[in-house]
Amino acid sequence: MASSLSSSGMVLMDSMSSEAHGRPARSVKPAFDIVPTGRSIGAEIRGADLKVLGPDEVRAVRAAWNEHQVLLFREQSLTLENLLAFSRHFGDLDLAPIQENGRRFVDGHPEIYVVSNVMENGIAIGSLGSGEAVWHSDMTYVDDPPIASALYAVEVPPAGGDTSFCSMYGAWDRLSIDVRRQLEGLRLKHDATYNSGGYVRQGVVETDDPRTAPGVWHPLVRVHPETGRSALFLGRRRNAYIDGFTPRESDELLDKLWSVATDSAYVWQHRWNEGDLVLWDNRCTMHRRDSFEASSRRVMYRTQIKGDVARTRRVNNQ
Ligand code: SIN
């Protein structure tokens, strides 16, 4: 069966392989639809079965992902192996991150990080509990944070636990030229003390002094290697610190940048159903999660696609 990409990024399948028969193509039908969320970030891919994506479909998903930064796939029915295989279309996988307590990953699958409030025999089966998870991009406290994460909903609570996304391209684009120039060449320390649930990571001494807190330095603005677009790169707010600034100067500038980045006018919020999978790009987005009732169950499996050091370039004068 022949297939090709349409200008809208849809995969087109021609069951008659007309070209090979020397006559015009007919009965061309899209294998899936790309439906933007209507917000400034995110799209839903309708009609794709993530268990059986072919190379052309993977290419089309990747193109849609580069365009929309976050993709939602509903009604998926994935085994752990299916989730791993889908994630590996985008690169090698990182191991689940170091966490506060409880089990980090699914037994036998150290790449599958468990996000859950569920307790079994007094032990949490995953991380982040039922509280809010604050805005962040994943694992930026390492030198080469993952380029992407895929989060698959296994059990969801009847209310709460929504996940919201914001675009860091959008944040950069909304800054004035003067602020962009100010950010040029600056480095930001990304804290390794706390996770997004506010828990202290295993093996770390708790501190709220951003100058001495453990962490790594990244450029404040990074360039996405596939799209060439500039994105603000903030990681997490807590214990963040701009190199060479006083703590007060650093906090003032960071507060300004964070309020631009997380402006609710530009956020897309996703209400989960079981079987949803959301794939996001950590190089150009941040996300947060609402709290939910502690007595209800939420079980999510996440994979992380290995990354590279954040690259930067000089800011344009336009
Ligand atoms: C995460 O930050 O990766 C988890 C988000 C969520 O639980 O919705």
Side-chain angles (χ1 to χ4, degrees):
M1 186 183 286
S3 65
S4 63
L5 295 184
S6 76
S7 55
S8 68
M10 291 187 297
V11 179
L12 304 177
M13 312 295 284
D14 178 1
S15 57
M16 301 302 291
S17 189
S18 310
E19 228 173 74
H21 292 93
R23 49 194 162 67
R26 63 190 175 86
S27 71
V28 175
K29 77 176 180 57
F32 55 72
D33 293 322
I34 301 165
V35 183
T37 60
R39 309 289 295 176
S40 49
I41 182 170
E44 181 179 342
I45 304 290
R46 291 200 185 142
D49 179 351
L50 302 187
K51 291 195 288 295
V52 291
L53 290 186
D56 288 340
E57 289 172 300
V58 171
R59 255 200 307 280
V61 167
R62 197 167 191 121
W65 184 51
N66 278 334
E67 184 176 348
H68 299 283
Q69 305 152 58
V70 183
L71 296 180
L72 163 64
F73 306 84
R74 294 187 198 270
E75 295 178 357
Q76 301 298 315
S77 171
L78 304 180
T79 62
L80 298 173
E81 283 71 24
N82 295 151
L83 174 61
L84 290 170
F86 168 74
S87 306
R88 286 192 176 112
H89 286 311
F90 302 91
D92 293 337
L93 303 186
D94 259 329
L95 299 182
I98 298 167
Q99 278 302 348
E100 70 277 8
N101 53 34
R103 288 200 296 253
R104 272 169 64 197
F105 52 80
V106 175
D107 277 348
H109 293 288
E111 308 93 341
I112 302 183
Y113 174 56
V114 184
V115 178
S116 183
N117 65 320
V118 172
M119 306 285 285
E120 276 174 10
N121 304 321
I123 298 173
I125 66 163
S127 299
L128 297 182
S130 58
E132 178 189 358
V134 297
W135 283 111
H136 67 284
S137 35
D138 293 326
M139 295 169 62
T140 62
Y141 53 87
V142 299
D143 284 321
D144 49 355
I147 61 166
S149 304
L151 188 64
Y152 180 55
V154 180
E155 283 186 70
V156 299
D162 294 8
T163 307
S164 297
F165 296 89
C166 67
S167 167
M168 302 309 278
Y169 294 143
W172 176 254
D173 291 347
R174 291 195 297 278
L175 294 174
S176 69
I177 288 297
D178 284 348
V179 174
R180 289 191 209 171
R181 286 209 185 102
Q182 188 188 0
L183 302 188
E184 189 178 353
L186 291 182
R187 296 192 313 160
L188 180 69
K189 192 202 266 187
H190 290 233
D191 176 54
T193 314
Y194 300 100
N195 71 12
S196 53
Y199 300 95
V200 177
R201 291 184 195 281
Q202 253 171 27
V204 173
V205 178
E206 185 168 3
T207 174
D208 283 306
D209 183 343
R211 292 164 302 181
T212 56
V216 301
W217 297 97
H218 294 295
L220 248 173
V221 51
R222 67 187 298 178
V223 172
H224 193 292
E226 289 180 58
T227 66
R229 295 182 67 185
S230 296
L232 204 53
F233 189 32
L234 297 180
R236 281 177 180 74
R237 177 66 187 88
R238 192 165 182 183
N239 273 355
Y241 178 58
I242 302 174
D243 194 15
F245 280 39
T246 65
R248 187 168 162 186
E249 289 167 342
S250 172
D251 280 343
E252 277 174 11
L253 181 53
L254 287 174
D255 285 347
K256 201 152 71 177
L257 299 177
W258 273 86
S259 88
V260 171
T262 60
D263 183 337
S264 58
Y266 302 96
V267 165
W268 171 55
Q269 179 168 342
H270 178 54
R271 165 99 210 103
W272 292 92
N273 288 304
E274 286 170 16
D276 288 353
L277 182 142
V278 174
L279 173 73
W280 62 82
D281 191 327
N282 279 306
R283 298 164 292 187
C284 57
T285 69
M286 293 197 303
H287 56 280
R288 67 171 288 280
R289 183 198 74 195
D290 288 342
S291 61
F292 56 98
E293 196 52 58
S295 57
S296 51
R297 293 170 61 98
R298 188 174 188 270
V299 181
M300 318 283 282
Y301 290 161
R302 195 187 83 188
T303 54
Q304 305 69 219
I305 291 114
K306 261 189 203 301
D308 198 356
V309 292
R311 309 269 172 216
T312 191
R313 69 158 181 244
R314 290 183 70 80
V315 179
N316 283 338
N317 286 340
Q318 325 153 17

